[in-house]
């Protein structure tokens, strides 16, 4: 069961081929470079690679403006290079999923070029047109710094086309059965080349009512059909959905109790509440989020994350809460984006405090769900605020302290995306140095992944948020098949004494720390008391004294 539902306790690693590794020395990352770096992910314990868009593109939106869904951008390699990448990943036991960006195309896509050539074009109904722009909801404009409307006038055909994102990204008309069939062909094509699923971009916008015609299909019927197609081709393939909605609306995208739509959904609310808890040194907001979070269907899963490739959105916090997080982690306007999020990475937000950073990743890997890492998180990369918008966190991977951070052998003038400098530049933050340092963030995350994989209860079990008796401490337990693990995290820098009550456990069991040496006794009434250092984190397994894991001192 655990192998069939591999996504339940996978470790997902998101990377952008363009910024990961340059294999031919032209200053741009490519599949050949990524092939040479897969062993880094294998050593960490990554079980699934998520590829950001690698399709042909004018690259006006970092590859999300696509001109051909059936090929590889020539800058990044060929279909042959892609197949070789898939083969090497499979050889290491790593699955691969890729972005499915079918909400829109580039305005340079042949479909749209043909669609705007005439109102009688065979591709006309593949897009959404109107004689006059429908009223705009300002909240619906995704990029308010660049766009002021969702409609763009086309002079040749004298109609407006709809674009939820940038004006150069016209939305596809997913009500059209021909478009639905084409989306299935795209899935089928890449699955034949080895993909184990897709991360679906902007799920709530994929099927939406934008005109008064009322002819759009039920979005959940559309996603159920898409999932059914996926399952017929490969029963173990998944859809990972970007569904940033309130919980009551979001669970419908799982397929409610049936779980026949999106396999995994990102938990944006828990992520945002985590940052609020970090800003306050108070576990309350995080605990409340997990208590409110609905249970995913039996074969579905929540995806947890610290940040992703976009802005770190805080849109589900109220205005006062958002200002708290801004004040703590991004007080300068240049660190913020769209008035709703941050364009920074975790280490810079936490002032480089390694113990606090390690605690946050310990929290990530113990939260109920499947953890997703963004490339560079494992070494604590920073951002480059000199770059525009979301590009600040999409800088090249830092492999060595040498020229171009080991990303490319090209002349530095050919590397199009500049890296951070100073304390977060490759001279100070790189894979090569951290591989040799047992106390590095890379060593810590590698260790966390190993223990996470040894604790399927975190991903598979029923979880309970515990009262630790201290505001700054977040504690929860996970139970599965008679086994119990407990995770406790101190969000503050001061040492505290923690007491938790574990219903169903008594003095016949002990808590053995999986991250450090130490065993904690449980009283007859199920209570356990122990100290927690500032930004401390402890993972416990409940077991009998005879079967408890050994301390390292006992072995030596």
């Amino acid at each position: 069961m655990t192998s069939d539902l591999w996504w339940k306790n996978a470790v997902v690693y998101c990377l952008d081929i363009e910024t990961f590794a340059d294999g031919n020395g032209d200053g741009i990352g490519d599949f050949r470079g990524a092939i040479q770096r897969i062993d880094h992910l294998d050593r960490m314990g990554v079980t699934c690679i998520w590829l950001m868009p690698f399709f042909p593109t004018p690259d006006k939106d970092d590859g999300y403006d696509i001109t051909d869904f059936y090929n590889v951008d020539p800058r990044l390699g060929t279909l042959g290079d892609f197949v070789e990448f898939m083969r090497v990943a499979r050889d290491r036991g790593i699955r691969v999923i890729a972005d499915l960006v079918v909400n829109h195309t580039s305005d340079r896509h042949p479909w749209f070029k043909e669609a705007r050539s005439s109102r009688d074009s065979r591709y006309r109904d593949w897009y959404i047109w109107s004689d006059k722009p429908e009223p705009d909801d300002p909240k619906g404009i995704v990029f308010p710094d660049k766009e002021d409307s969702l409609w763009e006038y086309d002079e040749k055909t004298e109609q407006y086309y709809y674009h939820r994102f940038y004006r150069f990204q016209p939305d596809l008309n997913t009500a059209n059965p021909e478009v639905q069939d084409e989306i299935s062909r795209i899935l089928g094509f890449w699955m034949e080349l080895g993909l184990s699923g897709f991360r679906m971009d902007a799920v709530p916008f994929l099927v939406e009512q934008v005109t008064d015609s009322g002819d759009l299909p039920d979005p959940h019927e559309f996603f159920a059909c898409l999932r059914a197609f996926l399952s017929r081709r490969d029963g173990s393939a998944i859809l990972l959905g970007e569904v940033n909605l309130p919980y009551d609306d979001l669970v419908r995208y799982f397929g409610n109790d049936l779980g026949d739509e999106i396999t995994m959904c990102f938990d944006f609310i828990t992520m945002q509440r985590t940052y609020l808890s970090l800003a306050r040194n108070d576990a309350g907001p995080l605990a409340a989020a997990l208590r409110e979070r609905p249970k995913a269907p039996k074969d579905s899963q929540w995806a947890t994350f610290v940040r992703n490739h976009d802005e770190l959105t805080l849109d589900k916090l109220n205005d006062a809460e958002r200002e708290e997080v801004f004040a703590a982690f991004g007080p300068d306007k240049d660190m913020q984006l769209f008035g709703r999020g941050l364009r920074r990475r975790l280490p810079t937000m936490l002032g480089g405090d390694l113990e606090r950073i390690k605690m946050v990743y310990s929290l990530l890997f113990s939260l109920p769900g499947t953890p997703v890492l963004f490339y560079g998180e494992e070494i604590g990369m920073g951002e480059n605020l000199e770059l525009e918008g979301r590009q600040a966190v999409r800088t090249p991977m830092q492999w060595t302290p040498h020229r171009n951070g080991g990303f490319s052998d090209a002349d530095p003038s050919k590397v199009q995306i500049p890296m951070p400098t100073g304390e977060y530049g490759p001279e100070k933050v790189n894979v090569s140095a951290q591989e040799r340092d047992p106390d590095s963030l890379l060593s810590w995350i590698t260790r966390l992944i190993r223990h996470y994989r040894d604790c399927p209860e975190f991903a598979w079990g029923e979880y309970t948020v515990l009262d630790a008796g201290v505001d700054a401490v977040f504690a929860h337990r996970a139970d599965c098949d008679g086994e119990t693990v407990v995770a406790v995290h101190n969000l503050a820098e001061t040492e505290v004494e923690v007491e938790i009550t574990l219903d169903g456990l008594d003095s016949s069991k002990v808590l053995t720390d999986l991250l450090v040496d130490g065993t904690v006794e449980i009283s007859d009434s199920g209570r356990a008391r122990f100290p927690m250092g500032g930004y401390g984190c402890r993972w416990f397994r409940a077991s009998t004294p005879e079967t408890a894991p050994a301390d390292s001192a006992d072995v030596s």
Side-chain angles (χ1 to χ4, degrees), residues 39 49 62 86 94 99 156 159 317 323 336 398 515 528:
D39 283 336
I49 295 171
D62 203 26
M86 295 297 299
I94 300 175
D99 261 314
K156 182 170 184 179
Q159 279 189 313
L317 302 180
E323 288 303 321
Q336 303 166 17
Q398 298 170 195
L515 301 180

Side-chain angles (χ1 to χ4, degrees), residues 449-481:
I449 291 175
R450 184 175 73 249
H451 287 301
Y452 165 75
R453 297 285 290 178
D454 285 341
C455 296
E457 295 87 354
F458 284 137
W460 283 80
E462 298 286 338
Y463 70 88
T464 306
V465 177
L466 304 172
D467 181 4
V470 181
D471 290 344
V473 174
F474 177 75
H476 73 289
R477 64 183 286 180
D479 298 271
C480 184
D481 294 336

Side-chain angles (χ1 to χ4, degrees), residues 182-244:
E182 192 67 25
I183 291 172
S184 293
R185 288 190 192 95
I186 294 167
L187 267 67
F189 177 83
W190 292 105
M191 290 175 73
E192 287 298 313
L193 296 183
L195 287 185
S196 292
F198 302 87
R199 176 262 185 185
M200 297 194 70
D201 185 54
V203 169
F205 301 145
L206 189 53
V207 184
E208 54 180 339
Q209 188 71 52
V210 297
T211 68
D212 295 329
S213 61
D215 59 352
L216 279 184
D218 178 348
H220 300 289
E221 180 179 330
F222 173 82
F223 291 121
C225 289
L226 208 60
R227 174 74 178 278
F229 173 85
L230 194 78
S231 298
R232 289 194 301 272
R233 293 293 175 95
D234 179 356
S236 67
I238 67 163
L239 295 175
L240 170 60
E242 182 190 33
V243 190
N244 184 13

Side-chain angles (χ1 to χ4, degrees), residues 203-204 220 223 227 243-267 269 292-298 300-302:
V203 169
H220 300 289
F223 291 121
R227 174 74 178 278
V243 190
N244 184 13
L245 292 173
Y247 283 138
D248 289 345
D249 297 324
L250 188 153
V251 292
R252 298 176 59 202
Y253 287 88
F254 280 124
N256 292 320
D257 294 337
L258 292 176
D260 60 351
E261 296 183 30
I262 308 299
T263 320
M264 293 203 299
C265 290
F266 284 105
D267 187 355
I269 292 175
E292 295 165 9
R293 188 172 85 172
K295 184 178 180 181
K298 182 174 179 290
S300 303
Q301 182 63 302
W302 291 99

Side-chain angles (χ1 to χ4, degrees), residues 7-12 50 97 199 238-243 247 250 254 262-272 290 293-294 296 300-308 364 367-373 452 459:
W7 58 87
K8 279 273 196 174
N9 65 332
V11 177
V12 182
W50 155 23
I97 65 174
R199 176 262 185 185
I238 67 163
L239 295 175
L240 170 60
E242 182 190 33
V243 190
Y247 283 138
L250 188 153
F254 280 124
I262 308 299
T263 320
M264 293 203 299
C265 290
F266 284 105
D267 187 355
F268 281 90
I269 292 175
T270 291
M271 180 276 291
Q272 296 181 45
L290 285 176
R293 188 172 85 172
S300 303
Q301 182 63 302
W302 291 99
T304 58
F305 61 109
V306 168
R307 73 153 300 119
N308 60 17
L364 169 67
L367 287 174
T370 296
V372 180
L373 290 171
Y452 165 75

Side-chain angles (χ1 to χ4, degrees), residues 371-424:
V372 180
L373 290 171
F374 184 45
Y375 78 92
E377 281 193 273
E378 72 272 27
I379 58 172
M381 277 174 50
E383 70 279 349
N384 184 354
L385 292 175
E386 294 181 2
L387 299 177
E388 183 178 1
R390 299 177 296 174
Q391 291 300 116
V393 299
R394 299 176 180 178
T395 55
M397 184 67 179
Q398 298 170 195
W399 297 102
T400 72
H402 309 305
R403 187 169 74 166
N404 301 323
F407 163 73
S408 174
D409 291 334
D411 185 281
S413 63
K414 290 186 176 181
V415 178
Q416 298 178 2
I417 306 173
M419 296 181 178
T421 57
E423 289 300 307
Y424 295 94

Side-chain angles (χ1 to χ4, degrees), residues 315-336:
D315 66 323
K316 294 298 179 288
L317 302 180
N318 64 41
D319 291 345
E321 292 169 339
R322 191 178 306 114
E323 288 303 321
E324 282 187 70
V325 178
F326 282 162
F329 303 131
D332 297 341
K333 286 295 182 182
D334 189 43
M335 300 172 177
Q336 303 166 17

